[in-house]
Amino acid sequence: GEDVEQSLFLSVREGDSSVINCTYTDSSSTYLYWYKQEPGAGLQLLTYIFSNMDMKQDQRLTVLLNKKDKHLSLRIADTQTGDSAIYFCAEKSGANNLFFGTGTRLTVIP
Amino acid sequence: GAVVSQHPSWVICKSGTSVKIECRSLDFQATTMFWYRQFPKQSLMLMATSNEGSKATYEQGVEKDKFLINHASLTLSTLTVTSAHPEDSSFYICSASWGRTGGFGYQPQHFGDGTRLSIL
C-alpha cells in the first residue's frame, strides 16, 4: 500500500527559511498536497502540485517535486511565528482518497 | 471559498451515549465526504468515505455498526458514534470534496475544524 513519510520535528528561527520534506512510495500519484494543522483545528490546504510538475511557487511557499526519487518538499520563506503548526503532505493516486504523511511539527523560535 | 463546517467542536459525555457529529459544506456541493480519526500527535486515519446518496465505504478495521455514517444530501454528512466508550475518545475530522470517489483530477479535500470527543 501507499506509504508517506515525514520527519517529525523541525525548528527554525523567525525570518529563516523552513524546508519540510516528504517521501512517498506510490509512483502513480497524480497530485500531492501540503496541509497545515494548527492546535485543536482541522487541516488547511496550503498548496498542491500535479505530478508532472517539478516546482510550484505561491507567495512564500515553494513546492519541489522529484518524481524519480518520490520526494516532495515544502519551503516556507521568511518563516514567522504564525507558521508554527503541523504540516502534512498527502498524495492522491487515481481515486479520491488521500494518503497522509506522519506530519512534521514546525516550531518557529522568535 | 470551499468552507466546511463541523459541529460540535467538543463533546463530553457518559459511556454508553450515542453522539452525532455533523459535517456541512457551506459554499459547494460535496459529492464525497470523508471521516478521519486522529490520535494525539499522530496522523489522520481514514475511517470511511461516502458518496452522496450511496452507502459509506469503511476502511478495514472500522466497525460500520459502531460508526454510522449518513450522507443524505450534497451538503451534509453525519457520523454517529453509537454506544460510545472511553476508547472511542479521539479527535474526529471530516472533509469534503466536489469530486466523486474514483474520479481523477484536482479535487482537493477541504477539512472541517474537527470534533474532540471525550467519553467519561
Side-chain angles (χ1 to χ4, degrees), chain B residues 49-83:
Chain B
T49 305
S50 68
N51 286 313
E52 180 265 338
S54 304
K55 285 185 179 179
T57 301
Y58 289 81
E59 296 298 300
Q60 193 172 5
V62 179
E63 299 175 58
K64 58 182 68 176
D65 294 331
K66 175 76 171 175
F67 299 99
L68 302 178
I69 292 171
N70 184 286
H71 188 174
S73 79
L74 283 171
T75 59
L76 174 65
S77 175
T78 60
L79 167 68
T80 301
V81 183
T82 61
S83 186

PDB file of all heavy atoms in Angstrom, chain B residues 49-83:
ATOM      1  N   THR B  49     -15.412   6.616   3.656  1.00  0.00           N
ATOM      2  CA  THR B  49     -15.669   7.539   2.556  1.00  0.00           C
ATOM      3  C   THR B  49     -17.116   7.377   2.143  1.00  0.00           C
ATOM      4  O   THR B  49     -17.605   6.240   2.061  1.00  0.00           O
ATOM      5  CB  THR B  49     -14.777   7.199   1.359  1.00  0.00           C
ATOM      6  OG1 THR B  49     -13.416   7.188   1.776  1.00  0.00           O
ATOM      7  CG2 THR B  49     -14.954   8.204   0.238  1.00  0.00           C
ATOM      8  N   SER B  50     -17.784   8.489   1.909  1.00  0.00           N
ATOM      9  CA  SER B  50     -19.163   8.357   1.454  1.00  0.00           C
ATOM     10  C   SER B  50     -19.414   9.254   0.259  1.00  0.00           C
ATOM     11  O   SER B  50     -19.035  10.421   0.255  1.00  0.00           O
ATOM     12  CB  SER B  50     -20.145   8.680   2.577  1.00  0.00           C
ATOM     13  OG  SER B  50     -20.105  10.047   2.925  1.00  0.00           O
ATOM     14  N   ASN B  51     -20.042   8.697  -0.741  1.00  0.00           N
ATOM     15  CA  ASN B  51     -20.544   9.458  -1.873  1.00  0.00           C
ATOM     16  C   ASN B  51     -22.018   9.734  -1.623  1.00  0.00           C
ATOM     17  O   ASN B  51     -22.741   8.865  -1.128  1.00  0.00           O
ATOM     18  CB  ASN B  51     -20.375   8.686  -3.182  1.00  0.00           C
ATOM     19  CG  ASN B  51     -18.931   8.659  -3.636  1.00  0.00           C
ATOM     20  OD1 ASN B  51     -18.266   9.671  -3.651  1.00  0.00           O
ATOM     21  ND2 ASN B  51     -18.467   7.485  -3.987  1.00  0.00           N
ATOM     22  N   GLU B  52     -22.434  10.944  -1.953  1.00  0.00           N
ATOM     23  CA  GLU B  52     -23.814  11.346  -1.702  1.00  0.00           C
ATOM     24  C   GLU B  52     -24.795  10.355  -2.312  1.00  0.00           C
ATOM     25  O   GLU B  52     -24.665   9.979  -3.480  1.00  0.00           O
ATOM     26  CB  GLU B  52     -24.038  12.753  -2.279  1.00  0.00           C
ATOM     27  CG  GLU B  52     -25.452  13.285  -2.070  1.00  0.00           C
ATOM     28  CD  GLU B  52     -26.355  13.026  -3.251  1.00  0.00           C
ATOM     29  OE1 GLU B  52     -25.834  12.829  -4.364  1.00  0.00           O
ATOM     30  OE2 GLU B  52     -27.577  13.023  -3.063  1.00  0.00           O
ATOM     31  N   GLY B  53     -25.717   9.924  -1.468  1.00  0.00           N
ATOM     32  CA  GLY B  53     -26.754   9.007  -1.928  1.00  0.00           C
ATOM     33  C   GLY B  53     -26.363   7.542  -1.914  1.00  0.00           C
ATOM     34  O   GLY B  53     -27.184   6.681  -2.222  1.00  0.00           O
ATOM     35  N   SER B  54     -25.123   7.267  -1.557  1.00  0.00           N
ATOM     36  CA  SER B  54     -24.672   5.864  -1.508  1.00  0.00           C
ATOM     37  C   SER B  54     -24.277   5.490  -0.089  1.00  0.00           C
ATOM     38  O   SER B  54     -24.067   6.359   0.751  1.00  0.00           O
ATOM     39  CB  SER B  54     -23.460   5.664  -2.423  1.00  0.00           C
ATOM     40  OG  SER B  54     -23.742   6.064  -3.724  1.00  0.00           O
ATOM     41  N   LYS B  55     -24.140   4.208   0.127  1.00  0.00           N
ATOM     42  CA  LYS B  55     -23.674   3.753   1.435  1.00  0.00           C
ATOM     43  C   LYS B  55     -22.191   4.076   1.577  1.00  0.00           C
ATOM     44  O   LYS B  55     -21.435   4.051   0.603  1.00  0.00           O
ATOM     45  CB  LYS B  55     -23.885   2.247   1.582  1.00  0.00           C
ATOM     46  CG  LYS B  55     -25.332   1.850   1.812  1.00  0.00           C
ATOM     47  CD  LYS B  55     -25.441   0.349   2.079  1.00  0.00           C
ATOM     48  CE  LYS B  55     -26.882  -0.030   2.335  1.00  0.00           C
ATOM     49  NZ  LYS B  55     -27.035  -1.481   2.586  1.00  0.00           N
ATOM     50  N   ALA B  56     -21.792   4.320   2.800  1.00  0.00           N
ATOM     51  CA  ALA B  56     -20.391   4.639   3.043  1.00  0.00           C
ATOM     52  C   ALA B  56     -19.511   3.415   2.854  1.00  0.00           C
ATOM     53  O   ALA B  56     -19.931   2.281   3.080  1.00  0.00           O
ATOM     54  CB  ALA B  56     -20.226   5.186   4.453  1.00  0.00           C
ATOM     55  N   THR B  57     -18.281   3.662   2.440  1.00  0.00           N
ATOM     56  CA  THR B  57     -17.271   2.610   2.328  1.00  0.00           C
ATOM     57  C   THR B  57     -16.334   2.739   3.505  1.00  0.00           C
ATOM     58  O   THR B  57     -15.659   3.761   3.664  1.00  0.00           O
ATOM     59  CB  THR B  57     -16.482   2.754   1.011  1.00  0.00           C
ATOM     60  OG1 THR B  57     -17.384   2.674  -0.089  1.00  0.00           O
ATOM     61  CG2 THR B  57     -15.445   1.653   0.893  1.00  0.00           C
ATOM     62  N   TYR B  58     -16.286   1.715   4.317  1.00  0.00           N
ATOM     63  CA  TYR B  58     -15.487   1.766   5.539  1.00  0.00           C
ATOM     64  C   TYR B  58     -14.109   1.148   5.298  1.00  0.00           C
ATOM     65  O   TYR B  58     -13.958   0.176   4.568  1.00  0.00           O
ATOM     66  CB  TYR B  58     -16.199   1.004   6.663  1.00  0.00           C
ATOM     67  CG  TYR B  58     -17.434   1.710   7.179  1.00  0.00           C
ATOM     68  CD1 TYR B  58     -18.645   1.614   6.489  1.00  0.00           C
ATOM     69  CD2 TYR B  58     -17.392   2.464   8.336  1.00  0.00           C
ATOM     70  CE1 TYR B  58     -19.780   2.273   6.947  1.00  0.00           C
ATOM     71  CE2 TYR B  58     -18.517   3.125   8.806  1.00  0.00           C
ATOM     72  CZ  TYR B  58     -19.707   3.017   8.108  1.00  0.00           C
ATOM     73  OH  TYR B  58     -20.829   3.688   8.569  1.00  0.00           O
ATOM     74  N   GLU B  59     -13.129   1.718   5.962  1.00  0.00           N
ATOM     75  CA  GLU B  59     -11.789   1.165   5.910  1.00  0.00           C
ATOM     76  C   GLU B  59     -11.721  -0.093   6.783  1.00  0.00           C
ATOM     77  O   GLU B  59     -12.531  -0.291   7.705  1.00  0.00           O
ATOM     78  CB  GLU B  59     -10.765   2.190   6.384  1.00  0.00           C
ATOM     79  CG  GLU B  59     -10.672   3.410   5.492  1.00  0.00           C
ATOM     80  CD  GLU B  59     -10.229   3.054   4.082  1.00  0.00           C
ATOM     81  OE1 GLU B  59      -9.121   2.509   3.918  1.00  0.00           O
ATOM     82  OE2 GLU B  59     -10.995   3.337   3.131  1.00  0.00           O
ATOM     83  N   GLN B  60     -10.747  -0.899   6.474  1.00  0.00           N
ATOM     84  CA  GLN B  60     -10.588  -2.155   7.211  1.00  0.00           C
ATOM     85  C   GLN B  60     -10.369  -1.858   8.694  1.00  0.00           C
ATOM     86  O   GLN B  60      -9.581  -0.976   9.051  1.00  0.00           O
ATOM     87  CB  GLN B  60      -9.377  -2.919   6.650  1.00  0.00           C
ATOM     88  CG  GLN B  60      -9.294  -4.357   7.106  1.00  0.00           C
ATOM     89  CD  GLN B  60      -8.203  -5.125   6.377  1.00  0.00           C
ATOM     90  OE1 GLN B  60      -7.448  -4.552   5.595  1.00  0.00           O
ATOM     91  NE2 GLN B  60      -8.124  -6.406   6.622  1.00  0.00           N
ATOM     92  N   GLY B  61     -11.076  -2.593   9.518  1.00  0.00           N
ATOM     93  CA  GLY B  61     -10.920  -2.427  10.961  1.00  0.00           C
ATOM     94  C   GLY B  61     -11.875  -1.431  11.583  1.00  0.00           C
ATOM     95  O   GLY B  61     -11.913  -1.303  12.804  1.00  0.00           O
ATOM     96  N   VAL B  62     -12.638  -0.717  10.774  1.00  0.00           N
ATOM     97  CA  VAL B  62     -13.599   0.249  11.294  1.00  0.00           C
ATOM     98  C   VAL B  62     -14.975  -0.403  11.318  1.00  0.00           C
ATOM     99  O   VAL B  62     -15.465  -0.879  10.300  1.00  0.00           O
ATOM    100  CB  VAL B  62     -13.635   1.526  10.424  1.00  0.00           C
ATOM    101  CG1 VAL B  62     -14.677   2.509  10.971  1.00  0.00           C
ATOM    102  CG2 VAL B  62     -12.269   2.174  10.374  1.00  0.00           C
ATOM    103  N   GLU B  63     -15.588  -0.427  12.489  1.00  0.00           N
ATOM    104  CA  GLU B  63     -16.882  -1.104  12.643  1.00  0.00           C
ATOM    105  C   GLU B  63     -18.009  -0.219  12.114  1.00  0.00           C
ATOM    106  O   GLU B  63     -18.293   0.846  12.658  1.00  0.00           O
ATOM    107  CB  GLU B  63     -17.152  -1.390  14.116  1.00  0.00           C
ATOM    108  CG  GLU B  63     -16.144  -2.298  14.793  1.00  0.00           C
ATOM    109  CD  GLU B  63     -16.449  -2.406  16.283  1.00  0.00           C
ATOM    110  OE1 GLU B  63     -17.576  -2.819  16.627  1.00  0.00           O
ATOM    111  OE2 GLU B  63     -15.587  -2.053  17.100  1.00  0.00           O
ATOM    112  N   LYS B  64     -18.683  -0.674  11.085  1.00  0.00           N
ATOM    113  CA  LYS B  64     -19.750   0.127  10.493  1.00  0.00           C
ATOM    114  C   LYS B  64     -20.969   0.249  11.399  1.00  0.00           C
ATOM    115  O   LYS B  64     -21.719   1.214  11.307  1.00  0.00           O
ATOM    116  CB  LYS B  64     -20.144  -0.434   9.126  1.00  0.00           C
ATOM    117  CG  LYS B  64     -20.604  -1.845   9.118  1.00  0.00           C
ATOM    118  CD  LYS B  64     -20.921  -2.311   7.693  1.00  0.00           C
ATOM    119  CE  LYS B  64     -19.690  -2.408   6.852  1.00  0.00           C
ATOM    120  NZ  LYS B  64     -19.939  -2.937   5.491  1.00  0.00           N
ATOM    121  N   ASP B  65     -21.172  -0.720  12.277  1.00  0.00           N
ATOM    122  CA  ASP B  65     -22.307  -0.625  13.201  1.00  0.00           C
ATOM    123  C   ASP B  65     -22.004   0.299  14.366  1.00  0.00           C
ATOM    124  O   ASP B  65     -22.911   0.768  15.048  1.00  0.00           O
ATOM    125  CB  ASP B  65     -22.661  -2.010  13.746  1.00  0.00           C
ATOM    126  CG  ASP B  65     -23.178  -2.925  12.656  1.00  0.00           C
ATOM    127  OD1 ASP B  65     -23.777  -2.406  11.681  1.00  0.00           O
ATOM    128  OD2 ASP B  65     -22.967  -4.143  12.756  1.00  0.00           O
ATOM    129  N   LYS B  66     -20.744   0.549  14.592  1.00  0.00           N
ATOM    130  CA  LYS B  66     -20.301   1.429  15.664  1.00  0.00           C
ATOM    131  C   LYS B  66     -20.283   2.884  15.189  1.00  0.00           C
ATOM    132  O   LYS B  66     -20.669   3.791  15.908  1.00  0.00           O
ATOM    133  CB  LYS B  66     -18.894   1.010  16.093  1.00  0.00           C
ATOM    134  CG  LYS B  66     -18.230   1.894  17.111  1.00  0.00           C
ATOM    135  CD  LYS B  66     -18.815   1.633  18.469  1.00  0.00           C
ATOM    136  CE  LYS B  66     -18.015   2.332  19.537  1.00  0.00           C
ATOM    137  NZ  LYS B  66     -18.652   2.166  20.853  1.00  0.00           N
ATOM    138  N   PHE B  67     -19.818   3.061  13.984  1.00  0.00           N
ATOM    139  CA  PHE B  67     -19.675   4.400  13.413  1.00  0.00           C
ATOM    140  C   PHE B  67     -20.612   4.506  12.215  1.00  0.00           C
ATOM    141  O   PHE B  67     -20.274   4.113  11.104  1.00  0.00           O
ATOM    142  CB  PHE B  67     -18.231   4.663  12.994  1.00  0.00           C
ATOM    143  CG  PHE B  67     -17.250   4.590  14.129  1.00  0.00           C
ATOM    144  CD1 PHE B  67     -16.497   3.434  14.337  1.00  0.00           C
ATOM    145  CD2 PHE B  67     -17.084   5.657  14.993  1.00  0.00           C
ATOM    146  CE1 PHE B  67     -15.586   3.363  15.391  1.00  0.00           C
ATOM    147  CE2 PHE B  67     -16.176   5.595  16.045  1.00  0.00           C
ATOM    148  CZ  PHE B  67     -15.428   4.441  16.242  1.00  0.00           C
ATOM    149  N   LEU B  68     -21.801   5.040  12.475  1.00  0.00           N
ATOM    150  CA  LEU B  68     -22.824   5.147  11.441  1.00  0.00           C
ATOM    151  C   LEU B  68     -22.642   6.436  10.659  1.00  0.00           C
ATOM    152  O   LEU B  68     -22.604   7.519  11.235  1.00  0.00           O
ATOM    153  CB  LEU B  68     -24.221   5.102  12.065  1.00  0.00           C
ATOM    154  CG  LEU B  68     -24.560   3.858  12.882  1.00  0.00           C
ATOM    155  CD1 LEU B  68     -25.952   3.987  13.482  1.00  0.00           C
ATOM    156  CD2 LEU B  68     -24.473   2.614  12.013  1.00  0.00           C
ATOM    157  N   ILE B  69     -22.574   6.307   9.348  1.00  0.00           N
ATOM    158  CA  ILE B  69     -22.383   7.473   8.502  1.00  0.00           C
ATOM    159  C   ILE B  69     -23.566   7.619   7.571  1.00  0.00           C
ATOM    160  O   ILE B  69     -23.998   6.662   6.933  1.00  0.00           O
ATOM    161  CB  ILE B  69     -21.074   7.363   7.704  1.00  0.00           C
ATOM    162  CG1 ILE B  69     -19.887   7.465   8.650  1.00  0.00           C
ATOM    163  CG2 ILE B  69     -20.988   8.435   6.615  1.00  0.00           C
ATOM    164  CD1 ILE B  69     -18.548   7.148   8.019  1.00  0.00           C
ATOM    165  N   ASN B  70     -24.080   8.843   7.516  1.00  0.00           N
ATOM    166  CA  ASN B  70     -25.185   9.167   6.627  1.00  0.00           C
ATOM    167  C   ASN B  70     -24.794  10.365   5.778  1.00  0.00           C
ATOM    168  O   ASN B  70     -24.373  11.390   6.296  1.00  0.00           O
ATOM    169  CB  ASN B  70     -26.439   9.473   7.452  1.00  0.00           C
ATOM    170  CG  ASN B  70     -27.642   9.718   6.577  1.00  0.00           C
ATOM    171  OD1 ASN B  70     -27.760  10.759   5.940  1.00  0.00           O
ATOM    172  ND2 ASN B  70     -28.537   8.758   6.530  1.00  0.00           N
ATOM    173  N   HIS B  71     -24.917  10.227   4.470  1.00  0.00           N
ATOM    174  CA  HIS B  71     -24.577  11.325   3.549  1.00  0.00           C
ATOM    175  C   HIS B  71     -25.778  11.521   2.630  1.00  0.00           C
ATOM    176  O   HIS B  71     -25.745  11.160   1.463  1.00  0.00           O
ATOM    177  CB  HIS B  71     -23.322  10.938   2.764  1.00  0.00           C
ATOM    178  CG  HIS B  71     -22.758  12.044   1.934  1.00  0.00           C
ATOM    179  ND1 HIS B  71     -21.565  11.905   1.261  1.00  0.00           N
ATOM    180  CD2 HIS B  71     -23.195  13.280   1.653  1.00  0.00           C
ATOM    181  CE1 HIS B  71     -21.303  13.021   0.598  1.00  0.00           C
ATOM    182  NE2 HIS B  71     -22.274  13.860   0.818  1.00  0.00           N
ATOM    183  N   ALA B  72     -26.827  12.071   3.219  1.00  0.00           N
ATOM    184  CA  ALA B  72     -28.117  12.112   2.533  1.00  0.00           C
ATOM    185  C   ALA B  72     -28.242  13.269   1.555  1.00  0.00           C
ATOM    186  O   ALA B  72     -29.093  13.252   0.672  1.00  0.00           O
ATOM    187  CB  ALA B  72     -29.244  12.189   3.559  1.00  0.00           C
ATOM    188  N   SER B  73     -27.406  14.298   1.712  1.00  0.00           N
ATOM    189  CA  SER B  73     -27.513  15.434   0.801  1.00  0.00           C
ATOM    190  C   SER B  73     -26.119  15.872   0.372  1.00  0.00           C
ATOM    191  O   SER B  73     -25.120  15.407   0.907  1.00  0.00           O
ATOM    192  CB  SER B  73     -28.239  16.605   1.470  1.00  0.00           C
ATOM    193  OG  SER B  73     -27.365  17.303   2.336  1.00  0.00           O
ATOM    194  N   LEU B  74     -26.076  16.763  -0.594  1.00  0.00           N
ATOM    195  CA  LEU B  74     -24.795  17.218  -1.122  1.00  0.00           C
ATOM    196  C   LEU B  74     -24.084  18.199  -0.205  1.00  0.00           C
ATOM    197  O   LEU B  74     -22.980  18.647  -0.521  1.00  0.00           O
ATOM    198  CB  LEU B  74     -25.002  17.860  -2.506  1.00  0.00           C
ATOM    199  CG  LEU B  74     -25.216  16.880  -3.642  1.00  0.00           C
ATOM    200  CD1 LEU B  74     -25.636  17.601  -4.905  1.00  0.00           C
ATOM    201  CD2 LEU B  74     -23.956  16.067  -3.920  1.00  0.00           C
ATOM    202  N   THR B  75     -24.701  18.548   0.897  1.00  0.00           N
ATOM    203  CA  THR B  75     -24.058  19.488   1.806  1.00  0.00           C
ATOM    204  C   THR B  75     -23.945  18.983   3.237  1.00  0.00           C
ATOM    205  O   THR B  75     -23.424  19.675   4.100  1.00  0.00           O
ATOM    206  CB  THR B  75     -24.825  20.830   1.841  1.00  0.00           C
ATOM    207  OG1 THR B  75     -26.167  20.586   2.263  1.00  0.00           O
ATOM    208  CG2 THR B  75     -24.816  21.493   0.465  1.00  0.00           C
ATOM    209  N   LEU B  76     -24.408  17.778   3.503  1.00  0.00           N
ATOM    210  CA  LEU B  76     -24.420  17.303   4.888  1.00  0.00           C
ATOM    211  C   LEU B  76     -24.082  15.833   4.981  1.00  0.00           C
ATOM    212  O   LEU B  76     -24.652  14.996   4.284  1.00  0.00           O
ATOM    213  CB  LEU B  76     -25.792  17.556   5.522  1.00  0.00           C
ATOM    214  CG  LEU B  76     -26.005  16.991   6.938  1.00  0.00           C
ATOM    215  CD1 LEU B  76     -25.076  17.674   7.931  1.00  0.00           C
ATOM    216  CD2 LEU B  76     -27.456  17.147   7.368  1.00  0.00           C
ATOM    217  N   SER B  77     -23.137  15.546   5.872  1.00  0.00           N
ATOM    218  CA  SER B  77     -22.861  14.161   6.247  1.00  0.00           C
ATOM    219  C   SER B  77     -22.818  14.111   7.766  1.00  0.00           C
ATOM    220  O   SER B  77     -22.385  15.077   8.411  1.00  0.00           O
ATOM    221  CB  SER B  77     -21.528  13.696   5.670  1.00  0.00           C
ATOM    222  OG  SER B  77     -21.209  12.385   6.130  1.00  0.00           O
ATOM    223  N   THR B  78     -23.277  13.009   8.327  1.00  0.00           N
ATOM    224  CA  THR B  78     -23.227  12.857   9.779  1.00  0.00           C
ATOM    225  C   THR B  78     -22.512  11.565  10.147  1.00  0.00           C
ATOM    226  O   THR B  78     -22.606  10.561   9.437  1.00  0.00           O
ATOM    227  CB  THR B  78     -24.635  12.853  10.412  1.00  0.00           C
ATOM    228  OG1 THR B  78     -25.381  11.759   9.873  1.00  0.00           O
ATOM    229  CG2 THR B  78     -25.368  14.150  10.145  1.00  0.00           C
ATOM    230  N   LEU B  79     -21.801  11.634  11.243  1.00  0.00           N
ATOM    231  CA  LEU B  79     -21.149  10.463  11.833  1.00  0.00           C
ATOM    232  C   LEU B  79     -21.755  10.279  13.215  1.00  0.00           C
ATOM    233  O   LEU B  79     -21.712  11.201  14.036  1.00  0.00           O
ATOM    234  CB  LEU B  79     -19.643  10.677  11.942  1.00  0.00           C
ATOM    235  CG  LEU B  79     -18.867   9.681  12.818  1.00  0.00           C
ATOM    236  CD1 LEU B  79     -18.869   8.295  12.182  1.00  0.00           C
ATOM    237  CD2 LEU B  79     -17.422  10.150  13.025  1.00  0.00           C
ATOM    238  N   THR B  80     -22.327   9.116  13.467  1.00  0.00           N
ATOM    239  CA  THR B  80     -22.875   8.818  14.780  1.00  0.00           C
ATOM    240  C   THR B  80     -22.031   7.732  15.424  1.00  0.00           C
ATOM    241  O   THR B  80     -21.914   6.631  14.864  1.00  0.00           O
ATOM    242  CB  THR B  80     -24.345   8.367  14.692  1.00  0.00           C
ATOM    243  OG1 THR B  80     -25.126   9.397  14.069  1.00  0.00           O
ATOM    244  CG2 THR B  80     -24.905   8.085  16.084  1.00  0.00           C
ATOM    245  N   VAL B  81     -21.459   8.056  16.565  1.00  0.00           N
ATOM    246  CA  VAL B  81     -20.719   7.069  17.342  1.00  0.00           C
ATOM    247  C   VAL B  81     -21.720   6.451  18.304  1.00  0.00           C
ATOM    248  O   VAL B  81     -22.207   7.122  19.230  1.00  0.00           O
ATOM    249  CB  VAL B  81     -19.556   7.725  18.112  1.00  0.00           C
ATOM    250  CG1 VAL B  81     -18.748   6.660  18.850  1.00  0.00           C
ATOM    251  CG2 VAL B  81     -18.667   8.526  17.167  1.00  0.00           C
ATOM    252  N   THR B  82     -22.072   5.205  18.070  1.00  0.00           N
ATOM    253  CA  THR B  82     -23.119   4.569  18.857  1.00  0.00           C
ATOM    254  C   THR B  82     -22.533   3.927  20.114  1.00  0.00           C
ATOM    255  O   THR B  82     -21.436   3.363  20.083  1.00  0.00           O
ATOM    256  CB  THR B  82     -23.853   3.504  18.038  1.00  0.00           C
ATOM    257  OG1 THR B  82     -22.904   2.502  17.638  1.00  0.00           O
ATOM    258  CG2 THR B  82     -24.486   4.103  16.799  1.00  0.00           C
ATOM    259  N   SER B  83     -23.266   4.058  21.216  1.00  0.00           N
ATOM    260  CA  SER B  83     -22.860   3.473  22.491  1.00  0.00           C
ATOM    261  C   SER B  83     -21.362   3.699  22.730  1.00  0.00           C
ATOM    262  O   SER B  83     -20.573   2.754  22.824  1.00  0.00           O
ATOM    263  CB  SER B  83     -23.179   1.977  22.497  1.00  0.00           C
ATOM    264  OG  SER B  83     -22.924   1.414  23.775  1.00  0.00           O
TER     265      SER B  83
END
